[in-house]
Amino acid sequence: MPSKTAGPDSPILLVTVGEPSGVGPDVTLLAFRDRELLDLPRFVLLADPQMIRSRVTRLGIDVTVHTLSRLADIASVPAEEMAVLPLVNKHVDTPGDLDPANAAGTIEAIDRATRLVLSGDAAAIVTNPIDKKALYEAGFAHPGHTEYLAELCGTLTNTSLQPVMLLTGPELSCVPVTIHIPLAEVPAALSTDLIVSTARIVINDLRERFGLETPRLAISGLNPHAGERGAIGGEDEAVIRPAVAMLQTEGFDVVGPLPGDTMFHPEARRRYDVALCMYHDQALIPAKTLAFDETVNVTLGLPIIRTSPDHGTAGDIAGTGTARPNSFIAALRLAARMSKIADETDIAMEAPQS
């Protein structure tokens, strides 16, 4: 069910602008324009207000930008105005044209949003897509959003974190055990311990942030036909099957290794809540094929709630008004739902002690 528009006492959802030359500003503005029709939760955008106003003009839409002095002032912003928390670093509005000068503001938005959620001033983050090449040229040293958020949260909380990428849509939820590494490096990167630790994080977050009491996981094989018991590669028997056995011994509802070519049809999908896959494309291809516009990227294993649209920056259509905000809308709704479930879980966990 769609979330109700947030009132003054509702949890604050933060949206980071992402790559300003991409469609992040577009989908955010288009979603806000239709907020009443879509019954969306309210949010605060971390961005350069001047750049956002410029994009409003380019898109030719009726959205009023309200610049906040501080996040706490959100309660006084009229519901028909979009609240923007300004950045120290400025952005230029050049749709489709990457400008290295924009990188500092893009990273600042992520940093500030993370700190605000960790401090309890906001409930969750919805991150718009970033352009990694543009950030690399400015000295960004992480494979992507997921890894950067894990390091940032780990540094701020003085903990070691394992980030887990979940792609979740109306028909399928998938997790890649290995993420942004070349396919040739996957077999060496896989280990029984990595599969087990990833599964534990998924199960924990499905319980605490998605409200599933007994999550069901289907774990894929690596090789064709899950290796045919060692006939086609040895990783499935030597690495994956022991991980499945260990998780089952711990009492988790886990099956595998399953052949990757037979675990995504409708009947198979009804048997599990999340498919744990061995590499990036094994997970993301079926998830995006089934529901590209409704699938959401969620980072599990962090002390914060973070969701994101599942698409890229799409600079070729930025500023044209043709970008579809569906995935952004789904990410916003999911962030609100996860925040509510997390609050209820915390209350439930604390209740017996009172």
Side-chain angles (χ1 to χ4, degrees):
M1 294 290 291
S3 302
K4 295 295 182 183
T5 301
D9 298 323
S10 298
I12 298 174
L13 303 181
L14 302 180
V15 173
T16 60
V17 66
E19 169 52 51
S21 70
V23 296
D26 300 39
V27 297
T28 304
L29 287 165
L30 292 171
F32 184 84
R33 180 195 61 184
D34 298 332
R35 67 197 176 281
E36 292 185 355
L37 177 65
L38 297 168
D39 199 15
L40 294 182
R42 199 169 188 189
F43 61 85
V44 175
L45 174 64
L46 278 75
D48 178 345
Q50 184 174 343
M51 186 276 291
I52 295 299
R53 290 190 178 96
S54 174
R55 190 63 59 92
V56 168
T57 301
R58 286 182 186 274
L59 296 175
I61 59 177
D62 183 17
V63 172
T64 299
V65 174
H66 186 112
T67 302
L68 293 172
S69 298
R70 58 193 184 115
L71 185 60
D73 293 339
I74 179 62
S76 63
V77 177
E80 65 273 12
E81 298 181 7
M82 190 177 79
V84 176
L85 190 64
L87 304 174
V88 173
N89 294 283
K90 302 301 181 184
H91 278 151
V92 294
D93 184 26
T94 54
D97 185 11
L98 292 174
D99 189 329
N102 281 333
T106 300
I107 297 171
E108 179 194 346
I110 300 169
D111 287 359
R112 291 184 64 191
T114 300
R115 292 172 187 273
L116 286 167
V117 174
L118 283 173
S119 67
D121 294 309
I125 304 172
V126 179
T127 61
N128 271 306
I130 59 175
D131 188 293
K132 289 186 279 291
K133 184 177 185 298
L135 295 183
Y136 291 159
E137 292 177 353
F140 188 75
H142 300 80
H145 245 136
T146 300
E147 296 85 354
Y148 180 62
L149 282 166
E151 181 173 311
L152 179 61
C153 287
T155 299
L156 294 174
T157 60
N158 195 30
T159 55
S160 178
L161 300 172
Q162 179 188 343
V164 172
M165 177 190 289
L166 168 70
L167 270 289
T168 181
E171 298 183 64
L172 176 65
S173 295
C174 288
V175 166
V177 174
T178 61
I179 308 177
H180 297 120
I181 63 173
L183 185 59
E185 297 178 9
V186 169
L190 283 175
S191 69
T192 298
D193 287 345
L194 178 62
I195 296 168
V196 169
S197 64
T198 301
R200 287 173 180 157
I201 290 169
V202 173
I203 291 167
N204 181 73
D205 278 22
L206 288 178
R207 287 172 173 169
E208 294 192 359
R209 292 178 173 174
F210 287 80
L212 295 179
E213 291 185 9
T214 54
R216 303 167 300 161
L217 267 59
I219 299 184
S220 77
L222 172 67
N223 297 296
H225 308 298
E228 289 195 2
R229 294 197 172 271
I232 310 176
E235 294 89 355
D236 300 273
E237 296 302 312
V239 177
I240 303 172
R241 194 174 298 279
V244 174
M246 188 179 300
L247 291 164
Q248 291 172 338
T249 300
E250 294 177 11
F252 298 132
D253 189 346
V254 176
V255 295
L258 303 177
D261 62 347
T262 60
M263 62 185 293
F264 298 115
H265 61 81
E267 183 178 350
R269 297 199 305 271
R270 286 193 287 270
R271 303 182 192 131
Y272 59 82
D273 299 303
V274 171
L276 202 67
C277 302
M278 295 302 106
Y279 55 92
H280 184 278
D281 284 9
Q282 190 182 45
L284 272 65
I285 287 174
K288 292 189 176 185
T289 299
L290 285 169
F292 184 81
D293 287 329
E294 288 81 33
T295 296
V296 178
N297 183 348
V298 184
T299 305
L300 308 180
L302 301 182
I304 63 172
I305 293 172
R306 178 259 177 157
T307 68
S308 182
D310 75 337
H311 55 71
T313 57
D316 57 323
I317 60 170
T320 67
T322 59
R324 294 191 298 270
N326 306 55
S327 186
F328 173 81
I329 291 166
L332 192 66
R333 285 176 169 158
L334 181 57
R337 182 164 67 88
M338 290 176 66
S339 300
K340 181 180 179 182
I341 292 171
D343 284 345
E344 292 171 349
T345 301
D346 287 343
I347 292 172
M349 292 174 65
E350 294 170 5
Q353 303 174 13
S354 61

